[in-house]
Amino acid sequence: MNSPKDHTRDIAIRGLRLAYGDVPVLDGVDLDVPAGTVLALLGPSGCGKSTLLKSLAGLLRPRQGSIRFGSQVVCDDGRHAPPEQRDLGMVFQDYALWPHMTVGQNIAFPLQMRKVAKAEHARRVEEALALVGLAGMAARRPADLSGGQQQRVGLARAIVARPRVLLFDEPLSNLDRDLRETLCAEIGALLRTLGTTAVYVTHDHAEAHALAHCIARMASGRIASLEHNEPGH
Ligand SMILES: Nc1ncnc2c1ncn2[C@@H]1O[C@H](COP(=O)(O)OP(=O)(O)OP(=O)(O)O)[C@@H](O)[C@H]1O
Ligand SMILES: [Mg+2]
């Protein structure tokens, strides 16, 4: 069990390297995200943002370097904790909901993975749905929801198990502008409520400034610059 102090975790990335074949994509990434803060990751298309995020999630295995979440080393030379052992939630650009499952079943999936008692599921799912403004929608199918609502379900699924790290990969880029602004503000409020450490990949500078305590820019497989920011300004 985690102690109450370990409610949220810092992230420390050191010397991370990853190549696709002979092409290096991460070329020595060093990055720290203090516990309870949001880091926005910006950079040109193809610079490796999603690759870095997937490495944090455990979906890709770096060739070299280390990743630590709080006291847990999740990746180190030879060591690789699978995603389900990293206590994280992830929100994807394309929502990645399972179409054959109801909204409630989609959201309950992380609870099932973590072996949370079945009797708890309905309450936790409703709580997460209420947090994203979709109370009462558990019985719907993803196909019967708008894009914005589907991404709210993606968000509810990411937070339902109250993970200690949240990862976002351009979660709003499939939505139109007005909705993007609304959901961005909602995600900001949610992150402040939960106080979860988060890495948020985006192309949108306004989104980064609205949400993040720190803005990192990637270039040539490394972190090229870091800028402190006051979220909402
Ligand atoms: N499975 C793969 N096999 C080979 N090359 C890949 C693979 N996935 C990504 N790449 C390449 O690695 C580089 C980094 O990709 P990545 O998806 O991390 O970029 P990104 O910064 O997220 O870009 P975008 O902003 O367009 O989403 C790109 O050149 C991409 O073509
Ligand atoms: Mg990407």
Side-chain angles (χ1 to χ4, degrees), residues 18-21 23-26 42-54 60 93 169-170 201-203 218:
L18 185 149
Y20 292 115
V23 185
V25 176
L26 304 182
L42 292 171
S45 181
C47 75
K49 302 180 298 295
S50 295
T51 301
L52 178 57
L53 212 65
K54 285 180 192 160
L60 286 173
Q93 177 175 353
D169 197 350
E170 306 201 40
V201 171
T202 178
H203 274 114
M218 256 185 108

Side-chain angles (χ1 to χ4, degrees), residues 6-9 86-90 110 114 124 155-167 194-197:
D6 198 20
H7 173 69
T8 184
R9 294 176 175 183
R86 296 189 180 204
D87 198 7
L88 53 83
M90 189 154 176
R114 286 166 164 85
R124 297 277 293 268
L155 198 54
R157 181 178 58 187
I159 63 170
V160 70
R162 295 295 160 97
R164 285 166 176 79
V165 169
L166 279 170
L167 304 175
L194 300 175
T196 313
T197 313

Side-chain angles (χ1 to χ4, degrees), residues 91 107 110 124-125 128-130 132 134 151-161 190:
V91 184
I107 296 172
R124 297 277 293 268
V125 165
L129 277 171
V132 300
L134 290 182
Q151 194 54 303
R152 285 190 166 94
V153 174
L155 198 54
R157 181 178 58 187
I159 63 170
V160 70
L190 194 60

Side-chain angles (χ1 to χ4, degrees), residues 19-218:
Y20 292 115
D22 289 339
V23 185
V25 176
L26 304 182
D27 196 20
V29 173
D30 294 309
L31 188 60
D32 288 284
V33 189
T37 68
V38 181
L39 178 122
L41 194 56
L42 292 171
S45 181
C47 75
K49 302 180 298 295
S50 295
T51 301
L52 178 57
L53 212 65
K54 285 180 192 160
S55 302
L56 290 173
L59 300 169
L60 286 173
R61 192 171 187 150
R63 187 172 62 183
Q64 230 182 47
S66 67
I67 303 170
R68 180 176 59 67
F69 290 170
S71 57
Q72 185 192 11
V73 177
V74 295
C75 161
D76 202 347
D77 296 322
R79 186 178 349 194
H80 176 82
E84 63 274 16
Q85 284 174 18
R86 296 189 180 204
D87 198 7
L88 53 83
M90 189 154 176
V91 184
F92 301 89
Q93 177 175 353
D94 62 358
Y95 321 138
L97 303 176
W98 291 286
H100 60 287
M101 293 187 191
T102 64
V103 163
Q105 287 165 339
N106 267 280
I107 296 172
F109 191 76
L111 300 176
Q112 237 172 307
M113 293 296 290
R114 286 166 164 85
K115 303 202 164 33
V116 173
K118 195 112 199 175
E120 284 262 310
H121 288 198
R123 184 184 60 78
R124 297 277 293 268
V125 165
E126 254 329 300
E127 196 179 83
L129 277 171
L131 275 171
V132 300
L134 290 182
M137 296 229 189
R140 295 261 198 115
R141 298 264 164 193
D144 302 330
L145 299 176
S146 70
Q149 288 171 329
Q150 288 185 47
Q151 194 54 303
R152 285 190 166 94
V153 174
L155 198 54
R157 181 178 58 187
I159 63 170
V160 70
R162 295 295 160 97
R164 285 166 176 79
V165 169
L166 279 170
L167 304 175
F168 297 86
D169 197 350
E170 306 201 40
L172 305 181
S173 54
N174 280 351
L175 305 173
D176 64 34
R177 193 157 165 253
D178 286 350
L179 194 54
R180 235 167 29 224
E181 280 177 15
T182 311
L183 254 178
C184 178
E186 289 180 18
I187 290 175
L190 194 60
L191 287 172
R192 280 190 293 281
T193 305
L194 300 175
T196 313
T197 313
V199 179
Y200 190 103
V201 171
T202 178
H203 274 114
D204 186 324
H205 291 229
E207 241 171 72
H209 281 99
L211 292 172
H213 300 92
C214 182
I215 298 173
R217 287 187 173 73
M218 256 185 108

